[in-house]
Amino acid sequence: MGAKVFTVGNFKGGVGKTKIVTMLAYDNAAIRNKKTLVLDLDPQGNASQVLAKTSNIERIDRTITDAISSGDLKSCITPVMTNLDLVACNTSFRSFSRFVLTNFKSELDQISVISKLLEPIKAEYDAIFIDVPPTISEFSDNAMAASDYSIIAFQTQEESLDGVSKYVGYQNFMVDRYNISLQVIAIVACMIEPDDNLDQTILSEAREIYGDAVLDTVITYQKRLKRYSREGIYLQKNKNGKFDQWDYRAHDNFIKILSELDARDSFLTSDS
Ligand SMILES: Nc1ncnc2c1ncn2[C@@H]1O[C@H](COP(=O)(O)OP(=O)(O)OP(=O)(O)O)[C@@H](O)[C@H]1O
Ligand SMILES: [Mg+2]
């Protein structure tokens, strides 16, 4: 059994996709001791920067762009910490679309580049989380074709809920057109302010439209989570051996989401 591959998406920017990828990956590795890979397919390189800071990595020599040109992903893996690896990305990956269009004639080959690169290393991981830019592009098409599951992130704003429906619509189109096996495993509300009425209204609206697909766990807005983007992710313990309460609160949402994903995966893959 190879890794389960998850892409975190929404065609709306700034909704919390990279936060989910990096936190789920960190907690899957650090708390659950699962072998985890983050594959950054966003030329903004936000996930790569956060994970590099997490382990004080100063330079990353080989990125996904090298993997594409050499056909070898394994040599482009950067170890981040125990159980957590990264295939990093930077602005050089902007050329991916051109590369794909000039090198492959068939549409199916064009969307299967990443999936083929991942295949030989899947057996080494329990989970692979892919971060993508908020656009319909070769990046997102390739991520979808390489994934078992999508996690759709949304913020409680009308545009971002529209983004969920566009994402689901586009995913259905991809599944039909290319016969890929990809399912929405979760829709996750991000940056929720528990006391904000509008947030609660839009969250209820999302649950009405998408039912159980919306996870019970919501990701609340927390300054500590914002700070991890700048400083890297950490989970500190006090002298008494207990987790720092602000760190624990920041990680707790994501640990719960990992359990919900596990339960859903077991259900979706059980013989019924
Ligand atoms: N739960 C949260 N609490 C506080 N800040 C958050 C939270 N989630 C995300 N942020 C902050 O919001 C900003 C946008 O988040 P993020 O980069 O994850 O969004 P994104 O969807 O990946 O954006 P893009 O579409 O540009 O890739 C970042 O500055 C991040 O630190
Ligand atoms: Mg992002």
Side-chain angles (χ1 to χ4, degrees), residues 143-160:
M144 280 189 180
S147 298
D148 301 293
Y149 294 123
S150 51
I151 298 172
I152 308 177
F154 78 102
Q155 230 183 322
T156 45
Q157 292 165 344
E158 215 53 60
E159 309 88 358
S160 137

Side-chain angles (χ1 to χ4, degrees), residues 4-267:
K4 287 286 151 70
V5 185
F6 301 85
T7 288
V8 180
N10 188 322
F11 296 133
K12 170 93 176 65
V15 296
K17 297 181 292 293
T18 300
K19 184 62 67 189
I20 293 177
V21 166
T22 52
M23 292 299 294
L24 288 183
Y26 183 100
D27 289 327
N28 202 41
I31 306 284
R32 294 158 52 107
N33 299 318
K34 303 271 191 195
K35 280 287 287 175
T36 307
L37 175 73
V38 169
L39 173 57
D40 191 355
L41 294 186
D42 183 350
Q44 295 181 99
N46 294 336
S48 303
Q49 285 156 13
V50 169
L51 295 177
K53 279 181 216 151
T54 296
S55 288
N56 296 318
I57 298 167
E58 287 184 4
R59 263 189 60 169
I60 295 177
D61 289 324
R62 292 174 68 78
T63 66
I64 184 69
T65 313
D66 302 292
I68 298 291
S69 52
S70 67
D72 174 21
L73 193 69
K74 203 172 164 77
S75 66
C76 301
I77 291 174
T78 304
V80 173
M81 57 188 209
T82 307
N83 292 325
L84 181 59
D85 288 344
L86 164 72
V87 174
C89 191
N90 58 29
T91 49
S92 67
F93 196 51
R94 277 173 315 162
S95 59
F96 182 57
S97 299
R98 200 170 352 113
F99 173 87
V100 162
L101 296 174
T102 40
N103 285 280
F104 300 98
K105 290 273 172 308
S106 95
E107 279 185 26
L108 187 61
D109 287 343
Q110 290 171 354
I111 64 154
S112 306
V113 178
I114 296 292
S115 157
K116 285 185 184 146
L117 275 179
L118 271 183
E119 212 47 57
I121 61 155
K122 265 183 166 176
E124 294 172 32
Y125 294 96
D126 297 304
I128 298 174
F129 295 96
I130 305 182
D131 196 28
V132 285
T135 48
I136 297 180
S137 55
E138 270 69 33
F139 308 109
S140 55
D141 286 0
N142 265 269
M144 280 189 180
S147 298
D148 301 293
Y149 294 123
S150 51
I151 298 172
I152 308 177
F154 78 102
Q155 230 183 322
T156 45
Q157 292 165 344
E158 215 53 60
E159 309 88 358
S160 137
L161 204 51
D162 288 348
V164 176
S165 114
K166 280 186 196 135
Y167 199 88
V168 171
Y170 189 72
Q171 173 163 328
N172 289 340
F173 159 80
M174 290 290 288
V175 166
D176 285 348
R177 186 173 178 100
Y178 301 110
N179 198 23
I180 53 179
S181 66
L182 172 66
Q183 288 174 284
V184 175
I185 193 167
I187 298 176
V188 190
C190 303
M191 296 188 239
I192 294 285
E193 304 263 19
D195 302 331
D196 186 300
N197 283 340
L198 185 60
D199 274 14
Q200 296 308 322
T201 307
I202 296 186
L203 186 55
S204 308
E205 202 180 308
R207 291 197 199 283
E208 261 167 45
I209 303 172
Y210 298 107
D212 289 345
V214 180
L215 288 190
D216 293 336
T217 310
V218 301
I219 301 168
T220 50
Y221 183 91
Q222 294 178 51
K223 285 192 183 139
R224 183 57 54 106
L225 284 170
K226 183 141 197 103
R227 191 191 281 190
Y228 291 158
S229 295
R230 204 177 54 240
E231 298 177 355
I233 304 169
Y234 46 83
L235 177 53
Q236 282 170 345
K237 283 190 175 157
N238 295 326
K239 286 199 197 92
N240 62 14
K242 293 208 169 121
F243 288 122
D244 170 273
Q245 62 161 329
W246 298 110
D247 281 340
Y248 185 75
R249 220 175 268 190
H251 286 265
D252 188 42
N253 286 165
F254 298 94
I255 297 167
K256 287 185 176 137
I257 289 176
L258 287 168
S259 301
E260 284 201 65
L261 293 177
D262 257 4
R264 285 167 184 228
D265 175 45
S266 303
F267 178 75

